[in-house]
Structure formats: structure tokens, C-alpha cells
Amino acid sequence: MIIDAHSHLWLKQDTTWNGKEIRSLKNGRSIFLGEEVQMIPPFIIDGRNTAEVFLSNMDYAQVSAAVVVQEFIDGLQNDYLAEVQKQYPNRFLTCGMADYLHDGFLMEVVHLMDQGFKGMAIPGHRLLGKSLTSDDMMKMFHLMEDGGVILSITLADGDKQVAEMEEVIAECPRLKIAIGHLGMADPPRIPCWENESWRRQILLARHENVMIESGGITWLYNSEFYPFPSAIRAIKEAARLVGMEKLMWGSDYPRTITAITYRMSYDFVVRSQELTDVEKRLFLGENAKRFYGFEDLPDLPYIKNMSE
């Protein structure tokens, strides 16, 4: 059983960030902050990063379910993700996202919760000029706690927002929180296992209802490439700090699979000799099943490649 705790879907990218354009093109390319990049695999020729294409990848890679989060750089995708949740309730848990950069977002959150979103996504690393403990933010967290809505949040690297998160956790101890990108483990700078500020972010998972997910870890260690030995070392260090039962695998689909296949985004964990079978089962699926409450997961048999 494999569950992806960090993925993205969109029908179209059409937004701006810091005044620069982000817009879907054809053949998997996008204008991204003024530069043409390969945003998604080139076989997605219409730029539509849909649930159906993702499900085909999930079925092939034997991934039972996925959590779909949101990011400002993709634009708000709430309407589409609400449809996805209704159409595929046993395969996806989709997260709503409000425009936290502007006043009035609290009413957006109330509306999204009324729509039935089971999670809310906050790209916290994009909010360094905003407080995560403002009155409206804290009201939102209390609403989510009372409504059983999960918070999926990505924090800035290191401990820049750790003190604020400690305050949120103390104020809302029943709020379930998933912190993304393995705390922004970042090999070009100090290796995370030597970085005390990274450790402080991971240690947030010492709290009962806080988890860490590894979405984008193959992107963070892209320069090293498969089988990502430093990514394994980062996972092991995080497990040493908080226990493997506090960690979940995430792919950051679809951006990460321009360089590797979707199966490769977790296969390096399966093939690692440095993790036990029990650790692999916890990390790749069992922890996420428990934390997100997935039920009625499909049985996905292995389908042999014709080249085997």
C-alpha cells in the first residue's frame, strides 16, 4: 500500500507571482516567472494536469491514493479540486486554498469548508511577509480544528517560521498538521543532517498531531539524481529525530516527473538497503493512511511492462 502525501492538479496555470507571469503553454511547457520551462511531462500536450492522467500514473505505479495540495504559483484550483474530490473520493483527498495574501480570506476558508474540503493548503514559504499567527489565521486554525479539517503547510527552509508554528500548535493542539518538503532539506547549502535550523523544523513533529511529508524530495536532490542517496540519509535523520511513524512519502507530482518517472519518485526508497521493510511500509503508506483516514483503497496489481 502506497499513498502519496503531496501532489498537485490543475486544469490550467494562469496567474502571476511577484508581478511575473505563470501560464500554461503546449507540450507540457509553461511560462514561469518570465522563463519558458518544462513544467510537466511533454506528453501532456494540452497543459491540463488532470486527475485522470494522474490516476493512470498512480495505477501503473500501484499508488493507492494521493493528497492534492495547492500552491500560489499554480493559481487557485478550488473549483476543479472540489469536483475531483466528489468524483474520486477513495483515491484523492484534495485541499482547498484561499488567497491568504489579501484581507477577507477567512470567509473564503469558511466557504471551502462548506464545500466539503477535508484539508486546507498553505504555501507558508510564500508568506514570509505575513504572520501565521495573525487574528484571521488563528481563527481559521480554530475553525479547522473544530471541523476536523487537516492543515497541509509548507514552511520556509530552516526555522524561520518554527516559532509561529509552535504557537499555532499550542493554541490548536487537536489540529492535524502535515509539514511539507521534509522541512525543505536542501543539499546546495549545509547538509540537513548538519543543519540545526532544519532539525528545529523537523522537531515540530514531536507534537502528537503533527507529521512531516517528503513532497518534492527528488526535486531537492535532483542534482544528485537517482537513487538519491542523500535523500535517504535525510529521511533517516528525520526518523532519528521524531521516529519513522511521523514521516510520510510525497512525490510533488507532476513537476518532479519531468526528470524521472512517477514510480522512480518512491522506488529509490523501496530499493534502499538502509531502511528496514517496516520503515518502508510506514513511510510509503501506513502512516498516511492513518493520518488522513483513507478507506476503501483499491487493490492495484502489478502490470508487467511489455519490455520485461
Side-chain angles (χ1 to χ4, degrees), residues 15-52:
T15 189
T16 60
W17 181 253
N18 288 338
K20 294 185 178 181
E21 183 183 23
I22 302 169
R23 174 171 51 87
S24 295
L25 302 174
K26 62 181 181 179
N27 300 334
R29 299 179 184 179
S30 292
I31 297 297
F32 181 68
L33 306 179
E35 180 184 10
E36 185 172 332
V37 301
Q38 193 72 46
M39 180 67 68
I40 52 180
F43 54 76
I44 305 179
I45 60 175
D46 61 1
R48 290 164 55 91
N49 171 33
T50 65
E52 288 73 25

Short mmCIF file of all heavy atoms in Angstrom, two decimals, residues 15-52:
data_model
loop_
_atom_site.label_atom_id
_atom_site.label_comp_id
_atom_site.label_asym_id
_atom_site.label_seq_id
_atom_site.Cartn_x
_atom_site.Cartn_y
_atom_site.Cartn_z
N THR A 15 -1.72 32.69 -13.86
CA THR A 15 -1.61 33.52 -12.68
C THR A 15 -0.32 34.34 -12.76
O THR A 15 0.38 34.33 -13.78
CB THR A 15 -1.66 32.66 -11.40
OG1 THR A 15 -1.76 33.48 -10.26
CG2 THR A 15 -0.42 31.75 -11.29
N THR A 16 -0.02 35.05 -11.69
CA THR A 16 1.24 35.78 -11.58
C THR A 16 1.79 35.56 -10.18
O THR A 16 1.06 35.24 -9.24
CB THR A 16 1.06 37.29 -11.81
OG1 THR A 16 0.15 37.82 -10.84
CG2 THR A 16 0.56 37.57 -13.22
N TRP A 17 3.10 35.73 -10.05
CA TRP A 17 3.73 35.72 -8.74
C TRP A 17 4.80 36.80 -8.73
O TRP A 17 5.67 36.81 -9.62
CB TRP A 17 4.33 34.36 -8.40
CG TRP A 17 4.97 34.33 -7.05
CD1 TRP A 17 6.30 34.30 -6.74
CD2 TRP A 17 4.28 34.42 -5.79
NE1 TRP A 17 6.48 34.33 -5.38
CE2 TRP A 17 5.25 34.41 -4.77
CE3 TRP A 17 2.92 34.49 -5.44
CZ2 TRP A 17 4.92 34.48 -3.43
CZ3 TRP A 17 2.61 34.57 -4.09
CH2 TRP A 17 3.59 34.55 -3.11
N ASN A 18 4.73 37.70 -7.76
CA ASN A 18 5.64 38.83 -7.69
C ASN A 18 5.67 39.62 -9.00
O ASN A 18 6.72 40.08 -9.45
CB ASN A 18 7.05 38.38 -7.31
CG ASN A 18 7.15 37.95 -5.86
OD1 ASN A 18 6.34 38.34 -5.02
ND2 ASN A 18 8.14 37.13 -5.55
N GLY A 19 4.49 39.73 -9.62
CA GLY A 19 4.37 40.51 -10.84
C GLY A 19 4.82 39.82 -12.10
O GLY A 19 4.79 40.41 -13.19
N LYS A 20 5.24 38.54 -11.99
CA LYS A 20 5.72 37.81 -13.17
C LYS A 20 4.71 36.73 -13.56
O LYS A 20 4.10 36.08 -12.71
CB LYS A 20 7.09 37.19 -12.89
CG LYS A 20 8.18 38.23 -12.67
CD LYS A 20 9.55 37.58 -12.51
CE LYS A 20 10.64 38.63 -12.35
NZ LYS A 20 11.99 38.00 -12.21
N GLU A 21 4.60 36.52 -14.86
CA GLU A 21 3.56 35.65 -15.42
C GLU A 21 3.87 34.17 -15.22
O GLU A 21 5.02 33.74 -15.31
CB GLU A 21 3.43 35.94 -16.91
CG GLU A 21 2.34 35.16 -17.62
CD GLU A 21 2.31 35.45 -19.11
OE1 GLU A 21 3.35 35.88 -19.67
OE2 GLU A 21 1.25 35.22 -19.73
N ILE A 22 2.81 33.40 -14.96
CA ILE A 22 2.86 31.93 -14.97
C ILE A 22 1.68 31.48 -15.81
O ILE A 22 0.53 31.74 -15.46
CB ILE A 22 2.78 31.34 -13.55
CG1 ILE A 22 3.91 31.89 -12.67
CG2 ILE A 22 2.84 29.81 -13.60
CD1 ILE A 22 3.75 31.57 -11.20
N ARG A 23 1.95 30.79 -16.93
CA ARG A 23 0.89 30.48 -17.87
C ARG A 23 1.21 29.19 -18.61
O ARG A 23 2.32 28.99 -19.09
CB ARG A 23 0.73 31.63 -18.87
CG ARG A 23 -0.25 31.39 -20.00
CD ARG A 23 -0.50 32.68 -20.79
NE ARG A 23 0.74 33.32 -21.20
CZ ARG A 23 1.39 33.02 -22.33
NH1 ARG A 23 0.94 32.07 -23.14
NH2 ARG A 23 2.50 33.67 -22.64
N SER A 24 0.21 28.30 -18.70
CA SER A 24 0.38 27.04 -19.42
C SER A 24 0.56 27.29 -20.92
O SER A 24 -0.14 28.12 -21.53
CB SER A 24 -0.84 26.14 -19.22
OG SER A 24 -0.98 25.76 -17.87
N LEU A 25 1.48 26.54 -21.50
CA LEU A 25 1.67 26.51 -22.95
C LEU A 25 1.31 25.11 -23.43
O LEU A 25 0.62 24.36 -22.75
CB LEU A 25 3.12 26.87 -23.30
CG LEU A 25 3.62 28.25 -22.81
CD1 LEU A 25 5.11 28.40 -23.11
CD2 LEU A 25 2.83 29.38 -23.47
N LYS A 26 1.77 24.70 -24.58
CA LYS A 26 1.53 23.36 -25.08
C LYS A 26 2.75 22.47 -24.81
O LYS A 26 3.82 22.95 -24.43
CB LYS A 26 1.22 23.37 -26.58
CG LYS A 26 2.34 23.91 -27.45
CD LYS A 26 1.93 23.90 -28.92
CE LYS A 26 3.06 24.42 -29.81
NZ LYS A 26 2.68 24.40 -31.24
N ASN A 27 2.56 21.17 -24.99
CA ASN A 27 3.64 20.18 -24.86
C ASN A 27 4.30 20.17 -23.49
O ASN A 27 5.49 19.92 -23.35
CB ASN A 27 4.70 20.37 -25.95
CG ASN A 27 4.12 20.23 -27.34
OD1 ASN A 27 3.11 19.55 -27.54
ND2 ASN A 27 4.73 20.87 -28.33
N GLY A 28 3.49 20.44 -22.46
CA GLY A 28 3.97 20.37 -21.09
C GLY A 28 4.78 21.56 -20.62
O GLY A 28 5.31 21.55 -19.51
N ARG A 29 4.87 22.57 -21.45
CA ARG A 29 5.67 23.74 -21.08
C ARG A 29 4.80 24.84 -20.49
O ARG A 29 3.60 24.90 -20.73
CB ARG A 29 6.43 24.26 -22.30
CG ARG A 29 7.41 23.25 -22.87
CD ARG A 29 8.12 23.77 -24.09
NE ARG A 29 8.98 22.75 -24.69
CZ ARG A 29 9.72 22.93 -25.79
NH1 ARG A 29 9.67 24.10 -26.41
NH2 ARG A 29 10.45 21.95 -26.25
N SER A 30 5.44 25.72 -19.71
CA SER A 30 4.77 26.87 -19.14
C SER A 30 5.71 28.07 -19.17
O SER A 30 6.93 27.92 -19.13
CB SER A 30 4.34 26.61 -17.69
OG SER A 30 3.32 25.64 -17.61
N ILE A 31 5.11 29.24 -19.24
CA ILE A 31 5.86 30.45 -18.89
C ILE A 31 5.88 30.53 -17.38
O ILE A 31 4.83 30.55 -16.73
CB ILE A 31 5.21 31.71 -19.48
CG1 ILE A 31 5.20 31.65 -21.01
CG2 ILE A 31 5.92 32.96 -18.99
CD1 ILE A 31 6.59 31.64 -21.63
N PHE A 32 7.06 30.51 -16.79
CA PHE A 32 7.19 30.51 -15.34
C PHE A 32 8.12 31.63 -14.92
O PHE A 32 9.33 31.57 -15.16
CB PHE A 32 7.73 29.16 -14.85
CG PHE A 32 7.86 29.06 -13.35
CD1 PHE A 32 6.74 29.04 -12.55
CD2 PHE A 32 9.11 29.02 -12.75
CE1 PHE A 32 6.85 28.97 -11.16
CE2 PHE A 32 9.24 28.94 -11.38
CZ PHE A 32 8.10 28.92 -10.58
N LEU A 33 7.53 32.69 -14.36
CA LEU A 33 8.29 33.84 -13.88
C LEU A 33 9.16 34.43 -14.99
O LEU A 33 10.33 34.77 -14.78
CB LEU A 33 9.13 33.46 -12.66
CG LEU A 33 8.38 32.81 -11.50
CD1 LEU A 33 9.33 32.47 -10.37
CD2 LEU A 33 7.25 33.72 -11.00
N GLY A 34 8.57 34.51 -16.19
CA GLY A 34 9.26 35.13 -17.32
C GLY A 34 10.13 34.20 -18.13
O GLY A 34 10.76 34.64 -19.11
N GLU A 35 10.17 32.92 -17.79
CA GLU A 35 11.02 31.96 -18.49
C GLU A 35 10.18 30.78 -18.95
O GLU A 35 9.28 30.32 -18.25
CB GLU A 35 12.12 31.48 -17.54
CG GLU A 35 13.08 30.47 -18.15
CD GLU A 35 14.09 29.94 -17.14
OE1 GLU A 35 13.93 30.21 -15.93
OE2 GLU A 35 15.03 29.25 -17.56
N GLU A 36 10.46 30.26 -20.15
CA GLU A 36 9.78 29.07 -20.62
C GLU A 36 10.46 27.83 -20.04
O GLU A 36 11.67 27.65 -20.20
CB GLU A 36 9.79 29.00 -22.15
CG GLU A 36 9.00 27.83 -22.71
CD GLU A 36 8.85 27.86 -24.22
OE1 GLU A 36 8.88 28.97 -24.80
OE2 GLU A 36 8.72 26.78 -24.83
N VAL A 37 9.68 27.01 -19.33
CA VAL A 37 10.23 25.82 -18.68
C VAL A 37 9.37 24.61 -19.01
O VAL A 37 8.22 24.74 -19.41
CB VAL A 37 10.29 26.00 -17.14
CG1 VAL A 37 11.14 27.19 -16.76
CG2 VAL A 37 8.89 26.13 -16.56
N GLN A 38 9.95 23.42 -18.83
CA GLN A 38 9.20 22.18 -18.95
C GLN A 38 8.55 21.93 -17.60
O GLN A 38 9.15 21.38 -16.69
CB GLN A 38 10.12 21.03 -19.34
CG GLN A 38 9.39 19.78 -19.80
CD GLN A 38 8.74 19.96 -21.17
OE1 GLN A 38 9.36 20.46 -22.10
NE2 GLN A 38 7.49 19.55 -21.30
N MET A 39 7.30 22.35 -17.46
CA MET A 39 6.60 22.29 -16.18
C MET A 39 6.13 20.88 -15.86
O MET A 39 6.18 20.43 -14.72
CB MET A 39 5.41 23.24 -16.20
CG MET A 39 4.59 23.29 -14.92
SD MET A 39 5.46 23.98 -13.50
CE MET A 39 5.65 25.70 -13.99
N ILE A 40 5.63 20.17 -16.89
CA ILE A 40 5.10 18.83 -16.74
C ILE A 40 5.60 17.99 -17.91
O ILE A 40 6.16 18.54 -18.88
CB ILE A 40 3.55 18.84 -16.66
CG1 ILE A 40 2.95 19.61 -17.84
CG2 ILE A 40 3.09 19.45 -15.35
CD1 ILE A 40 1.43 19.68 -17.83
N PRO A 41 5.43 16.68 -17.89
CA PRO A 41 5.97 15.85 -18.97
C PRO A 41 5.44 16.27 -20.35
O PRO A 41 4.28 16.71 -20.48
CB PRO A 41 5.50 14.45 -18.59
CG PRO A 41 5.39 14.49 -17.11
CD PRO A 41 4.87 15.87 -16.80
N PRO A 42 6.25 16.14 -21.38
CA PRO A 42 5.88 16.65 -22.71
C PRO A 42 4.72 15.91 -23.36
O PRO A 42 4.11 16.44 -24.29
CB PRO A 42 7.16 16.46 -23.53
CG PRO A 42 7.93 15.40 -22.82
CD PRO A 42 7.62 15.59 -21.37
N PHE A 43 4.38 14.71 -22.85
CA PHE A 43 3.23 14.01 -23.44
C PHE A 43 1.90 14.61 -22.99
O PHE A 43 0.85 14.27 -23.54
CB PHE A 43 3.29 12.51 -23.13
CG PHE A 43 3.42 12.17 -21.67
CD1 PHE A 43 2.35 12.26 -20.80
CD2 PHE A 43 4.65 11.74 -21.17
CE1 PHE A 43 2.48 11.94 -19.47
CE2 PHE A 43 4.78 11.42 -19.83
CZ PHE A 43 3.70 11.52 -18.98
N ILE A 44 1.92 15.47 -21.98
CA ILE A 44 0.70 16.20 -21.61
C ILE A 44 0.65 17.44 -22.50
O ILE A 44 1.03 18.55 -22.10
CB ILE A 44 0.69 16.56 -20.11
CG1 ILE A 44 0.88 15.30 -19.26
CG2 ILE A 44 -0.62 17.24 -19.72
CD1 ILE A 44 0.90 15.54 -17.76
N ILE A 45 0.19 17.25 -23.71
CA ILE A 45 0.37 18.27 -24.74
C ILE A 45 -0.55 19.47 -24.57
O ILE A 45 -0.28 20.55 -25.10
CB ILE A 45 0.20 17.67 -26.15
CG1 ILE A 45 -1.20 17.07 -26.32
CG2 ILE A 45 1.28 16.61 -26.42
CD1 ILE A 45 -1.48 16.58 -27.73
N ASP A 46 -1.67 19.31 -23.85
CA ASP A 46 -2.63 20.41 -23.72
C ASP A 46 -2.45 21.22 -22.45
O ASP A 46 -3.22 22.14 -22.18
CB ASP A 46 -4.07 19.88 -23.79
CG ASP A 46 -4.40 18.88 -22.68
OD1 ASP A 46 -3.51 18.60 -21.84
OD2 ASP A 46 -5.54 18.37 -22.67
N GLY A 47 -1.44 20.88 -21.63
CA GLY A 47 -1.18 21.63 -20.41
C GLY A 47 -2.12 21.32 -19.26
O GLY A 47 -1.98 21.89 -18.18
N ARG A 48 -3.07 20.39 -19.47
CA ARG A 48 -4.07 20.07 -18.45
C ARG A 48 -3.53 18.93 -17.57
O ARG A 48 -3.43 17.79 -18.01
CB ARG A 48 -5.39 19.67 -19.10
CG ARG A 48 -6.11 20.82 -19.78
CD ARG A 48 -7.19 20.33 -20.73
NE ARG A 48 -8.16 19.44 -20.09
CZ ARG A 48 -9.29 19.85 -19.52
NH1 ARG A 48 -9.59 21.14 -19.52
NH2 ARG A 48 -10.13 19.00 -18.98
N ASN A 49 -3.22 19.28 -16.36
CA ASN A 49 -2.68 18.33 -15.38
C ASN A 49 -3.87 17.74 -14.60
O ASN A 49 -4.18 18.16 -13.50
CB ASN A 49 -1.69 19.05 -14.46
CG ASN A 49 -1.26 18.22 -13.28
OD1 ASN A 49 -1.14 16.99 -13.37
ND2 ASN A 49 -1.04 18.88 -12.16
N THR A 50 -4.53 16.76 -15.21
CA THR A 50 -5.83 16.31 -14.72
C THR A 50 -5.73 15.10 -13.80
O THR A 50 -4.73 14.37 -13.77
CB THR A 50 -6.74 15.93 -15.89
OG1 THR A 50 -6.17 14.79 -16.56
CG2 THR A 50 -6.90 17.08 -16.86
N ALA A 51 -6.82 14.87 -13.05
CA ALA A 51 -6.92 13.71 -12.17
C ALA A 51 -6.83 12.42 -12.96
O ALA A 51 -6.25 11.44 -12.49
CB ALA A 51 -8.23 13.77 -11.39
N GLU A 52 -7.39 12.39 -14.16
CA GLU A 52 -7.40 11.16 -14.94
C GLU A 52 -5.99 10.75 -15.38
O GLU A 52 -5.63 9.57 -15.33
CB GLU A 52 -8.33 11.31 -16.15
CG GLU A 52 -9.80 11.34 -15.81
CD GLU A 52 -10.25 12.63 -15.15
OE1 GLU A 52 -9.59 13.68 -15.36
OE2 GLU A 52 -11.26 12.60 -14.41
#
